[in-house]
């Protein structure tokens, strides 16, 4: 499901995004086995982090650095 913001921008809600991610993981696990499932899971998490950084919702510079 999508909705349109006042700016005209279309956005997917979290339920639709979760459904798409779950289906992708399910297909990878069914057709490719455990390692394909794991690869899709890791690359999906990396894509999520990159997307959040680009969108501005995650700022990695503010994270504490270990000494």
């Amino acid at each position: 499901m999508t909705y349109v913001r006042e700016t005209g921008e279309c956005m997917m809600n979290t339920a639709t995004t979760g459904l798409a991610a779950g289906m992708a993981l399910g297909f990878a696990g069914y057709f490719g086995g455990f390692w394909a499932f794991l690869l899709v899971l890791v690359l999906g998490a990396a894509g999520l982090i990159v997307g959040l950084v680009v969108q501005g919702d995650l700022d990695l510079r503010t994270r504490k650095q270990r000494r």
Side-chain angles (χ1 to χ4, degrees), residues 1-61:
M1 291 287 184
T2 59
Y3 67 92
V4 179
R5 288 186 172 177
E6 294 174 2
T7 60
E9 176 184 8
C10 290
M11 300 292 296
M12 284 181 34
N13 62 21
T14 55
T16 305
T17 306
L19 175 65
M23 289 177 66
L25 289 172
F27 280 120
Y30 181 77
F31 292 110
F34 175 73
W35 294 111
F37 170 83
L38 196 60
L39 178 66
V40 170
L41 182 66
V42 169
L43 292 177
L48 174 66
I49 291 171
V50 169
L52 288 173
V53 169
V54 169
Q55 187 174 333
D57 291 338
L58 180 65
D59 188 9
L60 297 177
R61 292 175 288 175

